[in-house]
Amino acid sequence: MLGRTLREVSAALKQGQITPTELCQKCLSLIKKTKFLNAYITVSEEVALKQAEESEKRYKNGQPLGDLDGIPIAVKDNFSTSGIETTCASNMLKGYVPPYNATVVQKLLDQGALLMGKTNLDEFAMGSGSTDGVFGPVKNPWSYSKQYREKRKQNPHSKSGDSDWLITGGSSGGSAAAVSAFTCYAALGSDTGGSTRNPAAHCGLVGFKPSYGLVSRHGLIPLVNSMDVPGILTRCVDDAAMVLGVLAGHDPKDSTTVHDPINKPLVLSSLADVSKLCIGIPKEYLVPELSSEIQSLWSRAADLFESEGAKVIEVSLPHTSYSIVCYHVLCTSEVASNMARFDGLQYGHRCDIDVSTEAMYAATRREGFNDVVRGRILSGNFFLLKENYENYFVKAQKVRRLIANDFVNAFNSGVDVLLTPTTLSEAVPYLEFIKEDNRTRSAQDDIFTQPVNMAGLPAVSIPVALSNQGLPIGLQFIGRAFYDQQLLTVAKWFEKQVQFPVIQLQELMDDCSAILENEKLASVSLKQ
Amino acid sequence: MAAPVLRRGCRGRLWALACVDGGSCHGRGAPTGSPSNRIRGQSSVAQQPLHTAQKPRKGEHNWAAVVGLEIHAQISSNSKLFSGSQVRFSAPPNSLVSFFDASLPGTLPVLNRRCVEAAVMTGLALNCHINKKSLFDRKHYFYADLPAGYQITQQRLPIAVNGSLTYGVSAGKERGQVIPKTVRVKQIQLEQDSGKSLHDDLRSQTLIDLNRAGVGLLEVVLEPDLSCGEEAATAVRELQLILQTLGTSQANMAEGQLRVDANISVHHPGEPLGVRTEVKNLNSIRFLAKAIDYEIQRQINELENGGEILNETRSFHEKLGCTVSMRDKEAKQDYRFMPEPNLPPLLLYDATSLPIGADPRQVIDIDQIRETLPELPSVTRERLVQQYGMLPEHSFTLLNEVGLLEFFQNVIKETRAEPKKVTSWVLNIFLGYLKQENLAVSESPVTPSALAELLDLLDSRTISSSAAKQVFEELWKREGKTPGQIVSEKQLELMQDRGALEQFCYSVMKDHPQVVMDVKKGNPRAINKLIGLVRKATLNRADPAVIKEILEKQLSS
């Protein structure tokens, strides 16, 4: 049952094959078993069981609230949850219990979803590995998969033991690990530069970043307000669409959400053929750092579309290479501003120093934030200084416009969706990842995902195949603004073609053999 | 010289205050609105002769002062600028604070339509160009009563620009003359108010009240077209009246709904402008005028003694009547302005640009707001002068006192007396009594109807004007009697019996032959003495005009 998709388990609940409480308990037990993954910061066991109990009553009365009623979900720990600690993986917010729910959380709860807990992340979502939070790094469940372990055995150089575990990617690594390890059916991430799509790619999941303005940010503790979007992590595209249908829509509490852009509920049609589609391949995304495996998968994916009758053309997004540096200026500037509220006065951490207000501010912020956050605050304040504002912030905004226009031009040339890699390589071992500092890693890891946030477009990472090492590889589809449904429809077609294998975690959870029900062998159409 | 010594003294005191929270004394001009500062009346300051720096004094160069104002007016609205919290003065501390006001992480601003309408209305009343697109910015600084670490304001593109404010300054020499002057309005911007810091000196604590945090403000920036305290005070008073007439702000300075910062510099005309100082914490119109004039004089003295003016923030010390440096690091503070990413541009429409089929709840139509503008004070005054033939100065006084115009108009409605008579009674006697007892018009013991009846009695010559004053004094005692009752109880009716009056005149002339001689010798004032004596003899119940007529007749016979 745990290995099923959200849609399948929803049907099972409706048919009475399993009760919400049973489902909830199974997930809770798995959360305990996989505690070492460090996917959750807070497990809201009591809340989830109580919600399950209520859901069960509704099913008994034949009045479930919707497709999500009784379905265990997890939420990244940078979404406010009423009565449940929300830390952003930072000392600054340890012990902070918000008095309100983020709109997206409220919408899920209104549908009867069970909140299993709050998932781990890089501190304030600043990172691409889920390694830089105060609660420690998240381990990628694929580190313990049969697929990966077997490949490791074949390699004489690999060390045995647990020391070679892999990162999840980030910053929504906890959410990705939680869904990937079957502890819940869907999870909310956030996506500012790729933070949902990147860990989705590394953990073999669907990671969806909706159009900016489609889903409310109210209650999402911001990284970069002008780029943040709540993201959705699921096991398949239909599940992502189902969750999007619940979350999307104008929120009076978020003035940047648009009025009624999509039809609801969101049901994706199955594309019979793709012959009317035009797929764009941005030539600037072919960079030397791209692993040859991913490059070859990318081109096979393009071939697949072409062989099925789609038009596949090369397009140019000429300002792509400026995206990272531009993002650096805009991101750090907004970070400097957004982090100003954490002064120790109203909520969160406060130091013991009370000689003066300024000394209290300084010590509180030094103790509360890690080096990455403090570094970004410092850079951001530099860029916003009167003497620098024109040269940095205003210029970066102009470059942002050029990057956004690149996409507009590509779509205006007749392209329906763009196809790109999601990441440069598959997940790397933690010990290798931490050789570089956060800034360098973020700059490298975000290059395919982050221009999308600059332009506010919808994008989704789809797991395609396993690498030679037995690790998941994802490809990204990018759509026009507010063409989220079209984007997901194309992604669904693609997903069906590639038949990505299910993660095999039976060694981890031998008594949860139910997950093997749907086991598929690594027989991927794209990979021989 | 006394001034520098005094200043040092002030500075020492402020140090003591500033150290309370252990931090810097950050001057954002946030008056605490203590009732002890309350000054009745926003009454006309124009009556006080004020020193103006423009007049050269003996042995001095010709100095000119340049004064610009930044005025913060709290918008009169039910809820705050970006949150649903209620706006109410003197509510229990921290009882009107939403999650957004307390800057809880993840909360977002949602613009209050009423505040936008108030800004447009004020902009139109001040002859501004209304920007159909305006933007919001964040202004960053750390302060305990600014929970987000930044204030949302409109730095780059404010909602209204390029307006003007016309105000009147009394000419002084000729009675009733008011000279119109104009100050340019640079811009009006919407912004958030901060919370309040209450410093507890004894326990070295600062307590924060966030009730005010996030209340909508209109910042009205006046160009430096003013040259002295009196001009600044009258301009602010006029703005206050306009805001109150529009209903966009209650603009009560004592409650902190109107706060003024002044930028002041002095220079020799024809030479470049001098270094300016900013004076904050001006929470009454009287102090505003005093502070500006003090600061102008201080700068002149400083420069004439070879000193220099620092570009600094100063505050006005009410008790000492001087401005003192605020020891602030803020002068060189970089606010690191940044566009507010959570608010889309604010778009306004007019009749020509209104999108077809637009939801009226979602759009704001400038032309529609223009149509709802009430009569502005300047128009009202002109109407009063035209309609009732009063002096311009009187029209100012009528508008300057809250409720006085309405009182006046109610009396006019009910009495047969001449408007000039009504004006004179309302402004001299009625207002005089109010001022003496420090009462507001609404607290007056005399109703418009009572005064109207009294003026009718006077108009019909039933009583003399001195008797009328006596009646008024009785009315003021709140004994519930009508003017008619008072007149008959006190027997104040004028003597209608001409024969009896002739008898009184005859007796007085007989008893004062010397005065009669004086009259006959041609002393013109002597007859008044006789009239006074007759009135006294009749217990003030005789009409002096009739007495004079009888006396003249008797003297010439």
Side-chain angles (χ1 to χ4, degrees), chain A residues 227-248:
Chain A
M227 299 186 209
D228 291 342
V229 183
I232 300 166
L233 291 132
T234 55
R235 292 186 201 128
C236 69
V237 175
D238 270 330
D239 289 358
M242 191 189 266
V243 176
L244 177 66
V246 170
L247 302 185

Side-chain angles (χ1 to χ4, degrees), chain B residues 517-529:
Chain B
M517 281 300 288
D518 289 347
V519 178
K520 288 191 171 165
K521 277 183 192 156
N523 182 343
R525 275 191 285 174
I527 185 122
N528 289 341
K529 186 160 190 189

Side-chain angles (χ1 to χ4, degrees), chain A residues 80 93 96 99-100 212 217-222 225-226 252-256 259 333-334 337-338 340-343 345-347 355-358 361 365 381 384-386 389 393 397, chain B residues 21-24 99-100 102-111 138 140 142-150 156 206 208 210 329 334-344 362:
Chain A
S80 300
L93 284 179
Y96 167 65
Y100 74 102
Y212 185 88
R217 292 179 294 113
H218 173 252
L220 166 60
I221 298 177
N225 296 286
S226 65
K253 291 174 183 153
D254 178 357
S255 306
T256 61
H259 286 267
S333 299
E334 281 200 40
S337 175
N338 286 331
R341 69 188 57 213
F342 299 104
D343 56 13
L345 279 180
Q346 325 267 337
Y347 41 76
V355 292
S356 77
T357 311
E358 277 78 11
Y361 286 158
R365 289 163 69 80
N381 277 322
L384 290 177
L385 285 177
K386 205 173 178 185
Y389 184 76
F393 190 85
Q397 276 192 314
Chain B
D21 76 337
S24 71
F99 299 152
F100 174 80
S103 82
L104 291 198
T107 52
L108 299 170
V110 178
L111 184 56
R138 292 180 179 180
H140 298 88
F142 281 106
Y143 201 64
D145 55 27
L146 186 79
Y150 56 83
R156 288 167 301 164
T206 301
I208 307 294
L210 294 181
K329 302 167 189 164
D334 191 320
Y335 291 118
R336 291 155 289 133
F337 283 101
M338 188 191 87
E340 167 55 64
N342 294 316
L343 290 167
Q362 293 294 326

